């Protein structure tokens, strides 16, 4: 039984959940504690009580602690990468890549701790000095999804601690093992009791308690729009600070002058790697008519070569989807696409392997238009559709015709079109001749429209959320 961690103690849950390997449903990774509402309140109390001391903690202490956490994650990348592949279904290479990213993020914020500074201004009043400084926000509640079980926790926990906040971390019910492993590493870093707390359990119990607690000063949420809105309403009702990262329906535009291999690589990586379970996945491939047929042929050929199998098996390109519920959701959308009149170019059915898992090879729809539900609603699986357009102007207009705005990409050799696209596409992230998924850790991450709400995550921009600004006036 893997326990929760709060007030510096490992504590049994009021209930437990099985953590099942999506590549092999006979493989139970372990039983993980599920906290009750009362236990969640106790964890929040622990964070609340620890905050005044932690807010004053020496920067050198915080910096060394975060750096040490980063070092341990990096030194255990193989083992943690395997655990990630086993728990979430990313391939081993993808799992190791994600673990390395988490380690890099902790080390980045370890260094950021000692780069904190304020600003001085001349006053409009004589003999007055003005200083702008930043203070920690307080107790930060982190409510997280399952698709990046260590990278997303890292990019919220590391800045929260770096800027002097206490953390209550609620991972997704589907990926508690990585959350638990990360907590063990953090608990050994010399962190004072109560500063970091892990509360595993149900969204409507633990998540809801965090969202509604008057002792949680700020909430950073990543997940679906439906849950995000619920969490935001609770937070705003009590005037807590809130940041939301949610879904996407990200366009990848391919123009006639594109290098075909680059276009296919971007589509394969962006739409199908990590089993398409990425908020930045290129689920709409918007292709101009001059290259359309060649692109579809080359892409389908590549997709048919990809091996969908056990995430830990050598040679697997695409791991399973996360669980039966997600598989049902994906197959329901495949049927919706067929019913809407789209052509199923590749895939479309669950496949069976040596072990019982949720295997869905890449699905490519062609002959689709942007009004179809498969192009308007987030599917969050290995499913993408091609939309054929006349020219660049129509491509841009369709790229922007969505309620989402997280990431967007264009494949072209034209400086004119790539510059125009960077300027006019309505998204928080733009990729030129690169996949829409795949970002750096030292620069801002986030979207526009209904993909995101509040300030950006990651890099130095993270301080906007994890600190509050104070302006002081002093008569000299
Ligand atoms: P989800 O919304 O179902 O769950 C997210 C978290 O909210 C989980 O921890 C869940 O337990 C919790 N939760 C559920 N009900 C709650 C409630 N009533 N109150 C408080 N918390 C509650 O999302 P998911 O299925 O885990 O993740 C997939 C979604 O996440 C996709 O939409 C994807 O696009 C999005 N996502 C976005 C980003 C981004 O940065 N934009 C990154 C990764 C995933």
């Amino acid at each position: 039984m893997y326990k929760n961690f709060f007030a510096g103690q490992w504590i049994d849950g009021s209930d437990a959940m099985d953590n099942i390997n999506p590549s092999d449903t006979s493989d139970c990774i372990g039983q993980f504690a599920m906290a009750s509402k009362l236990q969640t309140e106790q964890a929040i109390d622990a964070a609340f009580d620890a905050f005044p001391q932690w807010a004053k903690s020496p920067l050198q202490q915080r910096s060394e602690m975060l750096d040490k956490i980063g070092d341990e994650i990096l030194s255990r990348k193989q083992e943690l990468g395997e655990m990630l592949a086993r728990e979430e279904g990313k391939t081993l290479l993808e799992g190791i890549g994600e673990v390395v990213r988490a380690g890099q993020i902790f080390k980045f914020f370890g260094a950021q701790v000692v780069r904190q500074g304020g600003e001085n201004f001349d006053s409009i009043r004589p003999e007055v000095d003005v200083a702008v400084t930043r203070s920690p926000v307080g107790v930060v509640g982190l409510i997280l999804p399952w698709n990046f079980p260590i990278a997303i926790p890292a990019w919220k926990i590391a800045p929260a601690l770096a800027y002097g906040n206490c953390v209550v971390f609620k991972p997704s019910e589907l990926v508690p093992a990585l959350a638990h492993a990360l907590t063990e590493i953090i608990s050994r870093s010399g962190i004072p009791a109560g500063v970091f707390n892990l509360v595993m359990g149900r969204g409507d119990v633990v998540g809801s308690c965090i969202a509604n607690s008057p002792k949680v000063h700020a909430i950073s949420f990543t997940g679906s729009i439906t849950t995000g809105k619920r969490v935001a309403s609770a937070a705003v009702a009590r005037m807590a600070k809130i940041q939301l990262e949610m879904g996407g329906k990200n366009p990848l535009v391919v123009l006639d002058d594109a290098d075909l291999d680059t276009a296919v690589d971007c589509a394969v990586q962006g739409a199908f790697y990590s089993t398409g379970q990425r908020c930045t996945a290129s689920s709409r491939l918007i292709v101009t008519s001059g290259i359309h047929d060649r692109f579809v042929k080359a892409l389908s050929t590549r997709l048919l070569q990809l091996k969908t199998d056990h995430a830990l098996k050598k040679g697997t390109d695409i791991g399973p989807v996360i669980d039966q519920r997600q598989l049902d959701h994906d197959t329901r959308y495949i049927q919706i696409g067929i019913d809407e009149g789209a052509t199923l170019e590749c895939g479309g059915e669950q496949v069976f392997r040596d072990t019982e898992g949720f295997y869905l090879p890449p699905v490519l729809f062609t002959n689709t238009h942007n009004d179809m539900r498969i192009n308007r609603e987030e599917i969050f699986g290995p499913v993408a559709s091609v939309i054929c357009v006349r020219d660049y102007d129509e491509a841009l207009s369709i790229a922007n015709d969505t309620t989402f705005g997280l990431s967007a990409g264009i494949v072209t050799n034209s400086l004119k079109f790539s510059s125009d696209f960077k300027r006019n596409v309505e998204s928080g992230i733009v990729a030129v001749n690169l996949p829409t998924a795949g970002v750096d850790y030292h620069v801002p991450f986030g979207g526009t429209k209904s993909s995101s709400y509040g300030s950006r995550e990651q890099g130095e921009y993270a301080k906007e959320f994890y600190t509050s600004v104070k302006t002081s006036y002093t008569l000299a």
Side-chain angles (χ1 to χ4, degrees):
M1 167 71 82
Y2 295 89
K3 300 179 181 182
N4 279 315
F5 180 75
F6 50 89
Q9 307 285 326
W10 291 99
I11 294 170
D12 275 324
S14 62
D15 204 347
M17 54 192 160
D18 287 339
N19 185 4
I20 302 295
N21 178 349
S23 298
D24 177 0
T25 54
S26 69
D27 175 24
C28 178
I29 295 154
Q31 283 210 312
F32 289 78
M34 294 177 86
S36 63
K37 182 166 181 279
L38 180 66
Q39 288 180 317
T40 310
E41 284 165 352
Q42 288 167 345
I44 295 169
D45 285 346
F48 191 83
D49 294 344
F51 174 65
Q53 222 22 59
W54 179 245
K56 288 189 283 189
S57 60
L59 297 190
Q60 189 63 28
Q61 177 193 351
R62 280 187 235 162
S63 175
E64 285 172 11
M65 205 193 77
L66 292 170
D67 196 55
K68 190 173 166 193
I69 296 168
D71 280 341
E72 183 170 345
I73 294 172
L74 291 175
S75 71
R76 291 173 55 192
K77 65 180 183 189
Q78 181 72 26
E79 169 213 341
L80 293 171
E82 275 171 28
M83 189 190 287
L84 199 158
R86 194 171 158 216
E87 170 174 70
E88 196 269 349
K90 282 196 177 80
T91 63
L92 181 57
L93 265 185
E94 290 171 333
I96 293 172
E98 188 184 328
V99 170
V100 168
R101 173 54 58 95
Q104 290 166 335
I105 291 170
F106 272 98
K107 290 180 78 66
F108 173 84
F109 282 104
Q112 280 303 103
V113 172
V114 289
R115 292 205 185 98
Q116 299 182 51
E119 286 179 291
N120 290 310
F121 290 83
D122 291 336
S123 172
I124 55 167
R125 287 172 281 173
E127 290 176 43
V128 171
D129 291 332
V130 187
V132 176
T133 53
R134 288 180 178 269
S135 319
V137 177
V139 175
V140 181
L142 307 178
I143 304 177
L144 273 61
W146 48 265
N147 65 325
F148 283 93
I150 190 161
I152 295 182
W155 83 50
K156 293 180 195 283
I157 294 167
L161 296 176
Y163 295 116
N165 302 284
C166 290
V167 169
V168 180
F169 166 35
K170 187 245 173 275
S172 162
E173 298 87 312
L174 296 174
V175 289
L178 256 291
H180 191 275
L182 178 59
T183 301
E184 271 193 322
I185 294 172
I186 296 174
S187 75
R188 282 199 296 272
S189 68
I191 199 162
V195 172
F196 175 81
N197 307 276
L198 167 73
V199 203
M200 300 177 285
R202 288 170 52 149
D204 58 355
V205 177
V206 178
S208 168
C209 180
I210 293 170
N212 286 289
S213 168
K215 290 185 173 172
V216 176
H217 305 99
I219 295 174
S220 182
F221 169 88
T222 300
S224 64
I225 290 188
T226 313
T227 315
K229 281 185 176 163
R230 194 169 293 148
V231 170
S233 326
V236 170
R238 58 184 185 79
M239 308 273 189
K241 200 168 181 181
I242 179 91
Q243 172 185 67
L244 307 172
E245 287 299 341
M246 298 167 289
K249 200 69 204 174
N250 310 291
L252 176 73
V253 169
V254 178
L255 296 186
D256 283 355
D257 73 348
D259 175 75
L260 188 62
D261 288 342
T262 307
V264 171
D265 279 350
C266 288
V268 170
Q269 289 192 30
F272 300 104
Y273 278 18
S274 301
T275 322
Q277 298 177 143
R278 292 190 285 198
C279 50
T280 48
S282 331
S283 46
R284 292 183 302 143
L285 307 172
I286 303 171
V287 186
T288 48
S289 52
I291 195 172
H292 174 272
D293 293 357
R294 280 182 296 136
F295 173 77
V296 169
K297 187 160 179 255
L299 177 58
S300 318
T301 308
R302 277 280 295 281
L303 293 182
L304 291 171
Q305 289 162 356
L306 295 179
K307 288 197 176 65
T308 303
D309 207 329
H310 196 298
L312 285 167
K313 204 170 187 176
K314 209 161 171 238
T316 295
D317 299 297
I318 309 286
V321 301
I322 184 75
D323 65 358
Q324 185 66 51
R325 201 162 139 250
Q326 185 66 42
L327 182 65
D328 292 345
H329 173 89
D330 295 349
T331 46
R332 197 162 53 245
Y333 270 97
I334 294 166
Q335 191 56 49
I336 289 171
I338 294 167
D339 295 345
E340 285 179 314
T343 306
L344 200 48
E345 198 73 33
C346 292
E349 282 188 0
Q350 179 182 9
V351 294
F352 298 91
R353 298 295 183 241
D354 295 346
T355 49
E356 202 166 305
F358 310 111
Y359 299 113
L360 186 65
V363 180
L364 184 68
F365 279 116
T366 52
N367 294 316
T368 79
H369 56 78
N370 202 44
D371 292 335
M372 290 176 170
R373 281 183 66 194
I374 52 167
N375 285 325
R376 302 215 74 84
E377 296 164 22
E378 185 184 51
I379 301 173
F380 215 58
V383 185
S385 8
V386 178
I387 303 170
C388 184
V389 292
R390 257 186 334 271
D391 55 17
Y392 170 74
D393 288 339
E394 191 184 2
L396 177 66
S397 145
I398 287 183
N400 285 339
D401 180 13
T402 171
T403 54
F404 296 101
L406 186 54
S407 185
I410 188 165
V411 188
T412 178
N413 282 313
S414 157
L415 179 63
K416 178 175 164 232
F417 290 136
S418 61
S419 303
D420 188 85
F421 191 74
K422 282 193 277 186
R423 208 172 300 124
N424 293 312
V425 75
E426 294 163 2
S427 64
I429 300 164
V430 191
V432 178
N433 294 326
L434 286 167
T436 56
V439 294
D440 289 0
Y441 60 81
H442 63 303
V443 287
F445 177 91
T448 59
K449 304 203 260 189
S450 57
S451 288
S452 302
Y453 186 85
S455 52
R456 288 284 186 266
E457 300 204 79
Q458 302 211 54
E460 203 185 333
Y461 281 66
K463 73 177 175 213
E464 290 308 324
F465 182 72
Y466 293 102
T467 63
S468 59
V469 167
K470 184 179 283 174
T471 311
S472 8
Y473 300 92
T474 309
L475 182 61

